[in-house]
Amino acid sequence: MIAPGTRIEGFDARSWHRLVTLVAPGFASQAPHARHTRRGEPGGALLVFFDDDRAVCLHSHRGALPTDGWEGPSGLEAFARRWDTRFAVALRVGAWEALLDRVAGRMLPGDDGWTTLTQVLGAARELEDEGSLALLPKLGAGVPLPPTEVLRRAWDLVLPDGQTAALALFDDGALDTALVLVRRRGRVEQVLGPEALLRRTGPLGGDPRRDYRVIHAALEASLPPVAFGVYASTEVVRALLRGEPGDWARALAVRDVLVHPMPPWLAMTTGASALRGAAVQTRRLLGALEANELLGPFSRQLRGLADLAGALDVRGLLGFDPLGLLASLLRRSRSEPTRDDPGEGPDAPPTR
Amino acid sequence: MDPLCAAVVRLPTLSLGRWAPCLQALRALGFNAVDLPLVWRDHAEEDGTFNLGRGTLDLAAMLHAVRAAGLKLVVRAGPFGLPQSPGGGVPEAVLRDPRCQLRTRRGNPCLTLHGGALVPLPDPASEAYRRAARSWVQALARRLAEPAREGLLTRFIVGHGPDPGLHHEPSEASLGQHLLESAREEGLPESALAATGSLLEPLQGGVTVAAAPPPHAGSTALWRALRAALARAPSLHLDLRSGGPVFERPTLPAHTEEVARLALAAGVRSYSVFLGCAGSGWVGALLDEEGSPRPPAARWRALNALAASLPTGRELCVALPPRPDRDLQAPFGALLGWAGLRAPEPGGDPGREAEGALSRRALPWRRAPDPEAPTVEALEALAPEVRPEGAALTRVVEASGELFLVALNRSEGAASVGPGPRARWRAGGASAEGFVTLGPGAVGVFSLASAEVSE
């Protein structure tokens, strides 16, 4: 996991912005002069502070909002819908302090990032159960949090110690952004961006189907062995991150996304994803056929098979489904990343 | 007086061979100073002494490199708050010492998210923490007394940096004064002493070092906060940004540059740009790891030139907003108020208030705190016409006996600026209606003639 001592190299502000907004478009940089135009845009995030008899409601685009429709944390979803927002947090007064208090009381010196993360999530879940905290979307409601050991094992499986992982995204015939993680001594020791990658590879052609071999060879020559590398166009990955089960498998099959080398966990994940996609389609079809009673008793057996296939996913392997979680969040987001730097500002002041 | 344009460089994170080329490259970009954050944690030894003389931590070598590059020096002593430094820059032994920790009401350590990890906050009021921080600041100040006398050191900054969780604590300001006192005792001149604070609460006396709000705060809130802060503390030193720490919202270069342009137009004359050269947990520094300027660096050369070209002198009118804090904290001002950090204002919409304040009617120009300042009526006569209304932010300054109107177009389209009802442009070039056009984001400096004001 990235720690304060991790060396981060080779990102300019633009390439870092592209990488972050790929998975978190709501964090896109906003120009100072554009603040007033954002007030009318849909989306954004809602923050409600409440106690028994009053509430304060703030919206990331619109500022303070009236709270006349507020009916308590159980009505957060309806309240957020009223303000055209799909992301919301409601906190009882004092809950934030209680959260930090609980985390501080449980942390030990030397706890790693995974332990801290599970402790924060655990304390947040407790507050949610007590009615002091409500989140929208409801993340994993009713599902137990994965223990730290599961997260750590999943991380070990994805990027073993002493290995490297690479992501290179292309756009307009050039390297758009990149992320190379080097794991040593149990933590991510180096994070490299596109500048650092290009220093190792030299100029690239801009086509992931050809450039992936050059990048792989350059990384293998200067860094620990590459566990896996993902090469694609930015637009393809952006669409896949919001996609349906099976899209990743399809993209791999038609070489819209290249993975080299292909790690076993990813092969299983994408295979299961394809199977799950097929299962979703089968269940839809069966639903229609059952409604018309066309298949009779045979339909129950078919449905059982489809359900089994649908359950075979990455959750069984890692303990949770990170891509599924991300896709569900991104599908809700209406924010689009600020794709381009608005360009150069005025160079010299006009002087009278 | 020339503006102080500094670029922040963490020399200890660079190899010795890169120091000189990096400093030269920054000088070529128009910076006249280098801002060195010296991290307590990096220099602290286990026996309580400080390593200021070995390898890349050699302070004398740093001073030599800065002197050789022909730059002035700004030193940040901390002791807490450098965003990309583990533990905020405080040694682990101090952070973990229960006597130094800020505690919750239940007695647990107060944690803050710093550099992607939860870090126990030090208690600015704790005697043990003050003693430890004081020894670090004194050790540095002792070594910097001579460079200060020869004019190399222009700022010696202490304090907890831009962490908003700390700046509302009265004990934080008191810690800053405590540490400045120890630097003073070691012989640092008064003019060099500075402490970190916030735009909302600049220090009374001394130089306040405050972080510029992020671009998404909005140009109106930024302008009003800066104008209010400069009216209270004219020697304000502002921390601007190129890029940012990885655990914060990313910003595009054009947006951080817009903040910088706005700050300069508002009258900021002393600033540091985080970060001049890559080499630690920061993305988007002006120079890459090889010391080569990235594309946005060229635009900072233009910004540094703009800083040098803007007139300085007596501010004839200060547009003091009634509550700058509400604009700056929007949309979370009310939230912070309720949390007890600031008195809440009933009703209203901070965002809308800020927008409304753009019109001349909603934001009356107030008399400057100067007995010889012109009357309010005279100042209103100077207030320019802006078309469309609110498209440009303006101020008037008197320099070398001349009046200058400084205008910043904050809109996406062209903005036209005309002199106030009883003022006129001093030189030709204006259109028939007396309006001049500014492109989006442009800063204009116009010479004014106004017999009425000087009466």
Side-chain angles (χ1 to χ4, degrees):
Chain A
M1 204 173 194
I2 295 177
T6 301
R7 272 172 53 209
I8 298 166
E9 300 172 23
F11 286 99
D12 62 11
R14 202 180 298 190
S15 60
W16 179 253
H17 184 268
R18 285 178 188 172
L19 190 66
V20 172
T21 55
L22 192 67
V23 292
F27 286 159
S29 179
Q30 307 281 359
H33 69 262
R35 179 173 164 76
H36 62 289
T37 60
R38 290 199 301 276
R39 296 174 64 81
E41 291 174 0
L46 196 63
L47 180 63
V48 184
F49 260 60
F50 66 94
D51 63 11
D52 292 335
D53 53 3
R54 60 179 181 165
V56 170
C57 177
L58 301 148
H59 191 278
S60 59
H61 292 174
R62 301 183 189 114
L65 297 176
T67 53
D68 44 338
W70 173 251
E71 292 173 355
S74 58
L76 180 64
E77 191 163 358
F79 189 71
R81 203 179 308 121
R82 183 181 154 199
W83 292 106
D84 209 6
T85 297
R86 300 175 191 188
F87 296 91
V89 179
L91 275 167
R92 184 177 287 280
V93 174
W96 182 249
E97 188 187 348
L99 177 76
L100 291 180
D101 224 349
R102 289 181 195 193
V103 173
R106 295 168 195 178
M107 273 186 65
L108 297 171
D111 275 350
D112 65 1
W114 295 117
T115 310
T116 307
L117 179 67
T118 48
Q119 277 171 350
V120 171
L121 290 175
R125 177 65 68 83
E126 287 169 15
L127 291 170
E128 205 174 0
D129 294 343
E130 292 163 15
S132 298
L133 169 71
L135 294 169
L136 200 68
K138 292 172 184 168
L139 296 179
V143 178
L145 287 171
T148 310
E149 205 42 52
V150 169
L151 291 174
R152 207 174 280 135
R153 268 208 313 270
W155 180 231
D156 286 342
L157 188 69
V158 170
L159 181 56
D161 205 31
Q163 295 201 23
T164 301
L167 167 74
L169 301 177
F170 296 79
D171 191 26
D172 283 340
L175 185 67
D176 189 26
T177 189
L179 178 71
V180 178
L181 303 176
V182 181
R183 191 174 173 203
R184 286 194 190 102
R185 289 181 279 276
R187 67 185 179 97
V188 175
E189 196 176 75
Q190 265 179 294
V191 179
L192 305 178
E195 287 175 355
L197 187 61
L198 286 170
R199 277 200 287 273
R200 285 169 168 79
T201 61
L204 293 170
D207 181 352
R209 291 183 180 87
R210 285 198 294 270
D211 288 341
Y212 82 93
R213 290 180 195 281
V214 181
I215 295 173
H216 179 79
L219 292 179
E220 288 274 346
S222 58
L223 296 172
V226 179
F228 68 96
V230 179
Y231 311 89
S233 87
T234 309
E235 286 311 311
V236 165
V237 171
R238 185 171 289 134
L240 288 172
L241 286 172
R242 292 159 175 76
E244 299 291 337
D247 288 356
W248 280 93
R250 197 177 308 123
L252 282 169
V254 300
R255 290 169 61 84
D256 274 349
V257 174
L258 287 131
V259 178
H260 179 74
M262 171 72 84
W265 66 267
L266 190 57
M268 282 178 70
T269 302
T270 49
S273 162
L275 202 55
R276 196 165 74 251
V280 168
Q281 294 298 331
T282 308
R283 275 201 296 268
R284 278 183 200 147
L285 182 64
L286 280 174
L289 295 177
E290 278 178 339
N292 294 321
E293 296 183 345
L294 292 175
L295 293 176
F298 197 53
S299 72
R300 190 179 302 162
Q301 291 172 11
L302 276 178
R303 175 171 285 283
L305 274 175
D307 287 346
L308 179 65
L312 244 178
D313 59 9
V314 68
R315 191 188 298 272
L317 190 67
L318 299 183
F320 66 105
D321 180 1
L323 282 178
L325 179 67
L326 195 59
S328 71
L329 285 173
L330 288 172
R331 276 197 296 270
R332 284 169 174 268
S333 173
R334 297 182 194 178
S335 305
E336 288 299 326
T338 309
R339 174 62 186 76
D340 295 314
D341 191 327
E344 296 191 5
D347 287 324
T351 305
R352 180 175 289 274
Chain B
M1 196 180 78
D2 287 341
L4 180 66
C5 317
V8 180
V9 180
R10 288 193 62 197
L11 287 180
T13 66
L14 310 178
S15 60
L16 283 166
R18 284 182 55 206
W19 288 10
C22 168
L23 296 178
Q24 289 296 348
L26 290 171
R27 189 172 181 208
L29 291 175
F31 290 101
N32 57 19
V34 62
D35 186 330
L36 287 183
L38 296 174
V39 179
W40 182 10
R41 188 187 186 97
D42 294 346
H43 294 268
E45 302 277 25
E46 283 183 9
D47 60 1
T49 59
F50 302 103
N51 171 14
L52 290 164
R54 288 196 301 275
T56 57
L57 299 175
D58 186 349
L59 183 59
M62 292 184 216
L63 297 177
H64 177 72
V66 174
R67 201 179 283 117
L71 294 165
K72 293 178 205 162
L73 177 66
V74 175
V75 166
R76 261 168 225 263
F80 182 90
L82 196 64
Q84 68 274 33
S85 183
V90 176
E92 199 63 26
V94 177
L95 277 182
R96 300 291 170 199
D97 184 346
R99 295 171 305 155
C100 295
Q101 291 174 341
L102 195 63
R103 296 273 160 172
T104 67
R105 281 178 288 190
R106 293 183 183 180
N108 289 313
C110 282
L111 300 176
T112 186
L113 192 63
H114 202 96
L118 286 171
V119 175
L121 273 174
D123 180 1
S126 144
E127 269 309 310
Y129 179 65
R130 285 187 173 211
R131 209 167 32 248
R134 189 183 173 100
S135 69
W136 160 242
V137 168
Q138 273 181 322
L140 266 187
R142 203 171 300 134
R143 301 285 293 266
L144 289 168
E146 183 55 35
R149 273 193 290 277
E150 68 181 73
L152 181 68
L153 179 77
T154 52
R155 290 256 190 282
F156 182 78
I157 303 169
V158 298
H160 273 182
D163 192 325
L166 288 169
H167 280 179
H168 299 282
E169 300 283 344
S171 50
E172 166 62 16
S174 140
L175 172 72
Q177 293 303 332
H178 178 75
L179 296 177
L180 284 182
E181 186 54 45
S182 58
R184 207 174 275 125
E185 284 170 11
E186 295 299 331
L188 291 191
E190 200 62 39
S191 59
L193 299 179
T196 53
S198 78
L199 284 180
L200 310 179
E201 294 163 23
L203 300 179
Q204 298 300 314
V207 177
T208 300
V209 181
H216 58 262
S219 46
T220 310
L222 278 160
W223 177 269
R224 294 179 69 180
L226 285 166
R227 295 296 302 135
L230 284 163
R232 295 183 180 100
S235 55
L236 176 80
H237 183 95
L238 195 68
D239 288 344
L240 297 167
R241 279 187 174 191
S242 169
V246 290
F247 291 102
E248 290 185 12
R249 182 178 181 162
T251 48
L252 283 169
H255 299 164
T256 46
E257 290 155 19
E258 191 176 331
V259 171
R261 204 174 302 116
L262 194 144
L264 297 179
V268 170
R269 299 284 298 165
S270 171
Y271 57 89
S272 294
V273 182
F274 279 77
L275 203 57
C277 186
S280 47
W282 189 277
V283 289
L286 295 173
L287 309 180
D288 66 14
E289 284 79 7
E290 306 285 298
S292 305
R294 289 178 165 139
R299 297 186 324 240
W300 277 92
R301 187 186 291 123
L303 286 166
N304 289 332
L306 172 65
S309 73
L310 290 172
T312 50
R314 189 170 63 135
E315 295 286 339
L316 277 185
C317 34
V318 283
L320 271 180
R323 292 185 300 274
D325 48 331
R326 298 209 59 206
D327 303 331
L328 188 62
Q329 293 172 6
F332 300 113
L335 165 69
L336 294 178
W338 207 11
L341 295 174
R342 195 162 298 283
E345 299 280 347
D349 177 341
R352 195 170 299 130
E353 260 176 35
E355 294 305 318
L358 280 173
S359 81
R360 286 172 56 204
R361 284 185 299 280
L363 180 61
W365 286 40
R366 297 190 175 185
R367 186 174 181 146
D370 176 354
E372 294 180 10
T375 62
V376 171
E377 292 73 24
L379 292 177
E380 281 179 341
L382 268 183
E385 291 286 345
V386 175
R387 295 177 187 169
E389 191 178 342
L393 301 163
T394 59
R395 69 188 175 99
V396 176
V397 60
E398 185 181 33
S400 311
E402 279 195 62
L403 292 177
F404 292 95
L405 169 70
V406 181
L408 167 76
N409 179 1
R410 53 156 234 150
S411 69
E412 286 176 332
S416 298
V417 182
R422 287 187 291 161
R424 60 185 188 277
W425 302 128
R426 184 177 288 278
S431 64
E433 292 81 22
F435 277 78
V436 289
T437 303
L438 286 174
V443 178
V445 182
F446 309 105
S447 181
L448 281 175
S450 174
E452 291 87 345
V453 169
S454 53
E455 279 173 355

